[in-house]
Amino acid sequence: MTAAPAALHDRALHLLQTIWGYPAFRGVQGEIVQQVAEGGNALVLMPTGGGKSLCYQLPSLLRPGTGIVVSPLIALMKDQVDTLRQNGVRAAFLNSTLLPHEAREVEDALLRGDLDLLYVAPERLLMPRTLDLLERAPVALFAIDEAHCVSQWGHDFRPEYQQLSVLAERFPELPRVALTATADERTRADIKSVLRLEDAPQFVSSFDRPNIQYRVGLKDSPKTQLLHFIREEHPGDAGIVYCLSRKSVEETAKWLQAQGIDALAYHAGLSSTERNNVQERFLNEEGVIVCATVAFGMGIDKPNVRFVAHLDLPKSMEGYYQETGRAGRDGLPSTAWMVYGLSDVVNVRRMLAQSDAPEEVKRVEASKLDALLTYCEAATCRRQVLLHYFGEELSEPCGNCDVCLNPPRVRDLTREAQMALSATIRTGNRFGAAHLTDVLLGRETDKVLAQGHHQLPTFGVGKEHDEKLWRSVLRQLVSLGYLSADDHFGLRATGKSRGILKEGQKLLLREDTLLPGLEHHHHHH
Ligand code: ADP
Ligand code: MG
């Protein structure tokens, strides 16, 4: 109708090309920029690496005044601001790392209207002094990055984020754009209600990363499996190997180095100089592999990471998606590779049961873990399971995950599950998987004899199968919540197991397969 929208679009595109050097918007970016630049609110759901920053940076340049960016990632603010400044954007940040006189300089620049963008930590923003300052300053918009932090259902709840409702109350006339990569229904509802975005348009871009091949396999001899994977599929490629503990990070890196692989260790126990060195080498050299705890990766934007490997289970699907999402940002074929086994499953369940977090937090974490373990045990297309978790349906199996490439056989293992549950219960709900396997296989070990378990009716009922099958059945029973683990790794039948023992519920379990390109090394425990 009027020429204004087109003119706005042209200005946006011009800035995109001259300041950022990108030829075009990606997906829904252009629509979001238009919406916010025109003064509207928006809720943006876009996967990690999707390009959320532009969705508030560009409108901040298009509108008069300063765009205020709320972000919990204080450690990244300086880098983000430096990058923007290099592009000629007048950016600054306000957080606890600034000295008082530095903070005052930033505040003065804001009041003078000399800033395009100002990054603020949430606790800083919420201080009465800052809110008063913002009322006197020319503000273009509020961007709430990592908006899932408002929600207890998010994997990263920050109580101060809930107080951001103050923005809608004190600055109702200014646009608010909330951005996150966590899209499940409950989180989305919390974001909308806290940030008063009930009526705001939602911009959802697909979470699918078709160039990433998802693979999950049985952990057998993890380091050797990893080495084979690297040598056979990614020789000389850059990659990230995630481990749970600092110790296993160090060990894995050392071991890979000894095999002639250019691997480095990264974890929070290293000095910041050491960590910077690792980051620099990873970013600037070709083919460096970083073994790291989850401390590594946030804000690291290396396009040609060819694989992300997990030697330990992530905490949630969100964590898994975020970590694997660091592979293949350039769109070229990449691999998300993970191995896990019975003891990992028992261990994560046990850690959760032991944590002294409040009950409701534990319940959330338990359901997140359930979702992840269901993904691990999936006998259907992994991408379908993954995308379904993020509220998206993929109509056809993807053809680019281990399940599609090498379909596991699914068997009715109800009888075996009953045997395993009954062995667990008959031995008093306190023994670990190794002992239960001995009982099922009818092995007269010292422990079996000492406990008198050779006299139980379940002793030896599982002789027709081998140890591998029993470990697999027990693992799946723990993964799927029929067994829980105590602090001493003892297993206990849960209320859910009644369905299988008494109510004729069938249990279809997958036969463990090894991944294509992986060899099976036998280990005796
Ligand atoms: P997110 O915050 O969603 O994780 P970022 O905003 O950090 O993602 O962007 C991820 C990467 O995508 C960055 O390297 C960024 O430069 C790049 N990018 C974003 N938008 C575009 C675009 N329109 N064209 C090309 N690259 C883009
Ligand atoms: Mg971001």
Side-chain angles (χ1 to χ4, degrees):
M1 218 171 69
T2 66
L8 183 68
H9 183 262
D10 289 349
R11 280 173 60 212
L13 203 58
H14 179 72
L15 289 175
L16 180 73
Q17 291 164 351
T18 50
I19 294 187
W20 280 272
Y22 302 145
F25 286 115
R26 208 191 251 168
V28 284
Q29 272 178 339
E31 290 167 53
I32 299 165
V33 166
Q34 177 116 11
Q35 161 78 6
V36 178
E38 282 173 348
N41 297 330
L43 173 55
V44 176
L45 305 163
M46 205 184 268
T48 304
K52 288 185 284 295
S53 321
L54 266 180
C55 301
Y56 55 81
Q57 289 170 344
L58 243 177
S60 300
L61 295 182
L62 290 165
R63 290 175 62 79
T66 308
I68 308 295
V69 186
V70 186
S71 167
L73 306 172
I74 292 181
L76 303 182
M77 283 184 186
K78 190 172 176 310
D79 273 356
Q80 286 168 330
V81 164
D82 287 346
T83 308
L84 285 164
R85 284 189 181 159
Q86 279 163 20
N87 289 342
V89 177
R90 301 172 303 166
F93 63 87
L94 266 184
N95 63 35
S96 52
T97 67
L98 292 184
L99 296 170
H101 78 270
E102 293 172 322
R104 228 168 305 124
E105 276 168 30
V106 171
E107 291 173 8
D108 289 345
L110 173 71
L111 286 172
R112 283 196 309 269
D114 281 350
L115 290 177
D116 300 311
L117 277 159
L118 176 63
Y119 286 76
V120 192
E123 55 281 357
R124 185 73 176 221
L125 178 94
L126 291 163
M127 286 163 53
R129 174 190 163 80
T130 315
L131 290 169
D132 289 344
L133 176 79
L134 291 173
E135 267 177 353
R136 287 179 287 132
V139 175
L141 59 90
F142 288 102
I144 301 94
D145 203 5
E146 315 292 343
H148 58 273
C149 293
V150 305
S151 175
Q152 307 217 19
W153 293 106
H155 51 121
D156 207 8
F157 175 55
R158 316 247 172 166
E160 62 279 11
Y161 254 67
Q162 288 199 327
Q163 295 168 45
L164 291 175
S165 53
V166 74
L167 294 179
E169 286 152 20
R170 287 193 53 174
F171 307 93
E173 73 288 355
L174 290 174
R176 292 183 301 285
V177 50
L179 310 100
T180 177
T182 299
D184 69 78
E185 265 318 312
R186 280 188 288 217
T187 307
R188 210 183 290 193
D190 283 352
I191 295 173
K192 283 196 248 180
S193 83
V194 171
L195 299 176
R196 303 287 137 75
L197 292 173
E198 290 91 347
D199 300 325
Q202 292 182 37
F203 297 87
V204 184
S205 52
S206 174
F207 275 60
D208 193 10
R209 300 283 308 278
N211 61 315
I212 298 182
Q213 181 176 94
Y214 294 100
R215 300 231 305 259
V216 182
L218 189 61
K219 191 189 275 191
D220 187 16
S221 49
K223 291 200 197 78
T224 314
Q225 286 174 295
L226 177 67
L227 181 66
H228 276 259
F229 166 66
I230 294 171
R231 282 204 176 137
E232 268 156 44
E233 302 185 42
H234 291 289
D237 283 344
I240 306 175
V241 178
Y242 283 112
C243 306
L244 202 57
S245 69
R246 295 175 188 184
K247 191 165 153 269
S248 61
V249 163
E250 300 270 0
E251 283 173 7
T252 309
K254 257 206 200 93
W255 190 83
L256 287 174
Q257 285 159 13
Q259 313 301 315
I261 304 258
D262 193 2
L264 302 171
Y266 183 105
H267 56 70
L270 300 175
S271 73
S272 65
T273 323
E274 288 170 300
R275 273 180 291 155
N276 282 337
N277 283 342
V278 173
Q279 274 198 25
E280 287 300 308
R281 284 207 52 206
F282 183 66
L283 287 173
N284 301 323
E285 294 176 26
E286 295 300 314
V288 174
I289 292 175
V290 175
C291 300
T293 56
V294 289
F296 182 78
M298 248 206 247
I300 286 189
D301 189 14
K302 183 177 170 68
N304 61 341
V305 177
R306 288 278 70 84
F307 70 89
V308 169
H310 281 91
L311 287 187
D312 290 303
L313 286 167
K315 279 202 176 64
S316 62
M317 291 291 270
E318 286 89 349
Y320 175 72
Y321 184 83
Q322 207 161 67
E323 285 145 33
T324 56
R326 292 175 184 137
R329 287 199 178 184
D330 54 10
L332 297 174
S334 309
T335 319
W337 184 95
M338 171 158 77
V339 286
Y340 78 107
L342 172 62
S343 58
D344 297 299
V345 176
V346 171
N347 202 20
V348 287
R349 284 257 189 249
R350 186 189 63 103
M351 275 171 17
L352 187 72
Q354 274 181 329
S355 102
D356 9 273
E359 265 322 303
E360 65 276 18
V361 174
K362 274 168 86 163
R363 225 176 309 127
V364 173
E365 287 177 357
S367 73
K368 300 216 166 254
L369 184 60
D370 282 345
L372 178 80
L373 293 175
T374 305
Y375 169 81
C376 292
E377 301 291 357
T380 55
C381 171
R382 297 219 190 265
R383 197 178 309 271
Q384 283 179 325
V385 177
L386 188 66
L387 291 178
H388 176 78
Y389 181 80
F390 290 108
E392 214 175 308
E393 300 305 326
L394 188 69
S395 57
E396 298 289 323
C398 73
N400 192 24
C401 68
D402 62 292
V403 176
C404 286
L405 293 168
N406 193 18
R409 267 197 296 169
V410 174
R411 269 171 55 182
D412 182 347
L413 289 174
T414 313
R415 229 183 99 247
E416 285 75 7
Q418 286 169 342
M419 289 176 183
L421 289 170
S422 139
T424 309
I425 295 165
R426 297 251 183 187
T427 54
N429 278 313
R430 61 200 176 87
F431 290 93
H435 183 71
L436 295 173
T437 305
D438 288 338
V439 172
L440 287 159
L441 289 172
R443 289 175 175 161
E444 296 190 339
T445 64
D446 292 348
K447 195 166 170 184
V448 167
L449 295 173
Q451 297 288 338
H453 290 161
H454 55 299
Q455 287 157 347
L456 293 174
T458 33
F459 183 71
V461 289
K463 269 189 183 138
E464 65 192 281
H465 298 300
D466 62 2
E467 170 159 353
K468 197 168 146 266
L469 178 118
W470 287 115
R471 293 186 74 80
S472 163
V473 168
L474 286 164
R475 186 197 74 238
Q476 296 186 66
L477 288 174
V478 180
S479 288
L480 303 173
Y482 297 103
L483 289 174
S484 66
D486 66 23
D487 2 336
H488 302 98
F489 296 92
L491 299 179
R492 149 184 303 278
T494 66
K496 199 175 165 187
S497 67
R498 214 171 303 128
I500 296 177
L501 286 169
K502 305 240 166 79
E503 286 150 26
Q505 186 190 321
K506 279 215 178 310
L507 199 59
L508 299 174
L509 299 180
R510 56 181 284 167
E511 266 180 32
D512 286 326
T513 48
L514 291 158
L515 299 182
L518 291 180
E519 276 174 33
H520 190 184
H521 293 262
H522 253 294
H523 256 268
H524 296 281
H525 302 276

